[in-house]
Amino acid sequence: MNFETDIFTQFDKKWALLTAGKPGAFNMMTISWGGLGTLWNKPVATVYVRTSRYTHDFMDDNDLFTISFFPEEYKQILGVMGSKSGRDIDKMNDSGLTAKEIAGSVTFEEAEVTLVCKKLFRQELAVENIPAGIAEVAYATDAPHDMYIGEVIEIK
């Protein structure tokens, strides 16, 4: 497996589509917080999902998730995927993206790169352990995040 990128801009500037579930029963959301590295001698990806998000249940209920990166021309679609809930709209039909099965999970034909991840760890981010200035901005009006660490088992 090989994935070369500018690690500090991949999530923050390009964004990504986090997808959890299986073909026929999945949800996706845009993320701009994440990381790539090594943990427990495994290549890993770390993502953060607010407990209030529809995708959170899919992350908890499934062993696999994908992180898909798209060409710049999809940024507007990713903006919608990050601002609308799968509880309220049919994201798949509204997005214009083409879902496809990958290793028992879901990615999209339009993605440039997809990381298939096997969930290794989930941890609630305790707001009281976050510096006050950051917590006040990030959590004043919305639920906290859970951190998910997944072993990258495939890169497509």
Side-chain angles (χ1 to χ4, degrees), residues 9-16 31-36 67 69:
T9 61
Q10 190 67 43
F11 285 98
D12 188 43
K13 301 297 182 213
K14 288 192 77 173
W15 302 346
I31 58 173
S32 63
W33 292 6
L36 302 170
I67 304 167
F69 298 99

Side-chain angles (χ1 to χ4, degrees), residues 70-105:
F70 292 79
E72 185 69 26
E73 62 261 25
Y74 289 90
K75 196 147 187 184
Q76 184 174 356
I77 291 171
L78 293 178
V80 172
M81 297 295 103
S83 62
K84 304 293 183 186
S85 174
R87 288 185 189 107
D88 303 326
I89 66 168
D90 183 347
K91 283 187 175 184
M92 197 58 249
N93 284 332
D94 292 352
S95 71
L97 298 175
T98 310
K100 70 176 186 177
E101 189 274 334
I102 184 170
S105 193

Side-chain angles (χ1 to χ4, degrees), residues 45-115:
T46 304
V47 296
Y48 305 87
V49 180
R50 288 189 191 270
T51 57
S52 59
R53 300 299 188 250
Y54 186 50
T55 303
H56 187 271
D57 292 339
F58 287 88
M59 290 293 288
D60 281 351
D61 294 343
N62 290 276
D63 293 330
L64 298 174
F65 61 91
T66 62
I67 304 167
S68 302
F69 298 99
F70 292 79
E72 185 69 26
E73 62 261 25
Y74 289 90
K75 196 147 187 184
Q76 184 174 356
I77 291 171
L78 293 178
V80 172
M81 297 295 103
S83 62
K84 304 293 183 186
S85 174
R87 288 185 189 107
D88 303 326
I89 66 168
D90 183 347
K91 283 187 175 184
M92 197 58 249
N93 284 332
D94 292 352
S95 71
L97 298 175
T98 310
K100 70 176 186 177
E101 189 274 334
I102 184 170
S105 193
V106 178
T107 188
F108 303 90
E109 292 284 344
E110 298 82 2
E112 290 179 311
V113 175
T114 296
L115 309 178

